[in-house]
Amino acid sequence: MTSQSDPEHPPRLFASLRQLLTTVTGMAHTRLALAGLELEEELQRLIGLMLGVLGVLVFGMLGLVMLTLAVVLAVDPGQRVAVLALFAVAYLGAGGWALWRIKRELATRPPFLQATLAEMAKDSDALHAATHKEPSP
């Protein structure tokens, strides 16, 4: 056990260590809370996106099938194959456009946990700077 007159262990050492532990714990708590918030936002965005995609697929397909059927039945029987070919080309074009949009959305989304990682990098830099600061006389 050390006394207050021990020159190797000044009385402020334990207080400083306690303060450092409190600071590190607080930083970790804040970063974990931020990570949890980002995960929740990403999950909500993904659920909304999936529901939107499901709605587009179901109702879009029903509409396209009905429209195609109506047009094919309305044209002359000799022209039905040509009309079906035109619809096939149109559907393939629309599918290609949808694929392009999905790829663009995935390519432009922000990196996963971007804000959390940026804050952790700032914390690391600050701690690194604080530990490598020369003591003042």
Side-chain angles (χ1 to χ4, degrees):
M1 189 165 268
T2 61
S3 66
Q4 288 192 1
S5 62
D6 188 359
E8 289 184 32
H9 297 94
R12 287 186 259 152
L13 176 65
F14 293 112
S16 295
L17 288 175
R18 206 172 306 123
Q19 181 63 34
L20 177 63
L21 182 61
T22 302
T23 302
V24 169
T25 304
M27 286 172 33
H29 179 267
T30 302
R31 298 313 170 241
L32 285 174
L34 180 60
L37 181 63
E38 284 191 67
L39 286 171
E40 185 177 333
E41 287 175 350
E42 189 69 20
L43 180 62
Q44 288 176 354
R45 187 185 74 79
L46 183 62
I47 289 171
L49 186 62
M50 295 303 287
L51 288 174
V53 167
L54 181 63
V56 167
L57 288 175
V58 169
F59 295 114
M61 289 297 293
L62 284 172
L64 287 175
V65 166
M66 291 298 138
L67 177 66
T68 302
L69 181 63
V71 172
V72 169
L73 291 176
V75 298
D76 182 47
Q79 301 294 323
R80 288 183 180 165
V81 173
V83 170
L84 284 173
L86 286 174
F87 273 110
V89 168
Y91 294 156
L92 288 173
W97 174 80
L99 179 64
W100 171 78
R101 281 208 48 207
I102 289 170
K103 284 184 175 183
R104 186 185 68 180
E105 175 69 26
L106 290 174
T108 59
R109 72 176 179 81
F112 188 62
L113 297 177
Q114 177 183 19
T116 299
L117 294 175
E119 288 300 317
M120 291 179 90
K122 286 181 192 176
D123 293 343
S124 177
D125 292 344
L127 286 173
H128 188 270
T131 58
H132 289 87
K133 189 188 325 181
E134 292 186 23
S136 55

